[in-house]
Amino acid sequence: MDELWPPPSREVADAIRSLCQRLLTETDALVDTFARPSLVAQNDPALLADASLVEEDWELNRSDLVQWLTANVQQPGRRVEPYVGPRAMAYINDLVSRGIAPDFAGAWRVALGIGWRRWLEECVARCADPDLLVGVLDVTAQSMVQYALDSVAALRQAGLTAAAGNADAEGIALIQLIASGAPMTEDLAEGRLRYRMARWHTGLVLWIDDPQQVDALDEATLAVRSAATGRTALVARASATSRWIWLSGAGAVPDLHHVEQVMATADGVRVAVGRPGHGLQGFRTSHQDALAAQALVIRLGSDRRFTAYADVELIDALTKDRAGARRFVINTLGSLAEADTALREALLTYVQCGFNATRAAAHLYAHRNTVERRVSRANELSAVKVEDNPTHVAAALLVLDIVPDIVATNPS
């Protein structure tokens, strides 16, 4: 690439190299400061709603940051060439396939502003000599701005390349339009997708955290589709790390036991399931439920393999961030939050069984007297007593069931 400004002095270059080496040790924390604001600045609801794409966007931000820091360790203060690697290219392909067109320029403006402030703080703290500080800031400001411009151009070119070579883009983009609420007739959707809409639908999202496990993801997708006896399946490649599935049939409530069985043996693959819905609207809302369940599992750091939105809808409303969920659990349960799991399980089952100890004992395969003792002890430990606010107690217990380590882990 053409150099657009003179090289820095040896002293300035050494200072830049030292600063970048230090910041390379805290890249994840740096990315966390600007990833969410830059994501919002991309101004695309479909991107924000898909937790798998959000994860890939975070990885793209991290790749960009590491590229600039590493390049400035090797050649301090010079123009940095953007790197669009295989994972980033797969992400761009996924966006193009689904008709998602983020505002990359807007995202870079936000990220650059936040990143420059953090760089400025680091430079001021490490450069005691005013002349050296001015030299470092002068050359790195030019490098950062040019890197942002070059990166936006590289992403746009990657998008054009992806659009030119994606034969399935039209069908996947249509699914994205339906899922996001665009006006559409059932006849049009059925004709284009060859999938009946005037039925009951259950939306599923299958995903992996590690892109290297994509074979396991595809195998699990095939297994879910094959095991859906008596139901029609529609499968869409939503991203490199996720698949969208709709199962449809005449009955409103499908038996998803086979899905749980598949997930139990699918290494590294997880699934979120929406509530059944009828027709085109049901196709859409069940999918939105599944996306919400997936987002909940990811933001709370849960390792659950199977999550039905119907089971976690209340938790979703209460736990829009992990720190808030942690506070809610501690304030509600007190000492019970870190007590014996058997006590919490007994109290939750007791509430779910309508405060009926006999039914709870049957669910837990335990003696009624044992259940009553555990419920009594759990209620003693709980900050909020179950008779005073059973809804809050049950919700806090459900959060712990989904994320057992949420109290032990002190979020940064």
Side-chain angles (χ1 to χ4, degrees), residues 78-94:
R78 310 311 290 139
R79 187 177 182 182
V80 177
E81 184 171 3
Y83 172 66
V84 182
R87 184 166 184 176
M89 196 64 223
Y91 173 59
I92 300 299
N93 273 315
D94 295 334

Side-chain angles (χ1 to χ4, degrees), residues 347 349-360 386-387 389-391:
L347 183 57
T349 306
Y350 176 67
V351 175
Q352 290 174 330
C353 290
F355 305 97
N356 187 311
T358 302
R359 287 177 58 200
V386 70
E387 62 270 19
N389 199 330
T391 302

Side-chain angles (χ1 to χ4, degrees), residues 22 53 62 65 68 76 105 113 115 121 124 127 140 146 160 197 201 222 242 302 324 356 378 389 409:
R22 170 177 159 70
L53 292 182
R62 187 181 188 282
L65 176 62
W68 190 84
E121 292 171 348
V124 170
C127 300
T140 54
Q146 190 60 47
L160 292 173
M197 286 293 169
H201 308 276
L222 180 60
S242 68
S302 172
N356 187 311
N389 199 330
T409 303

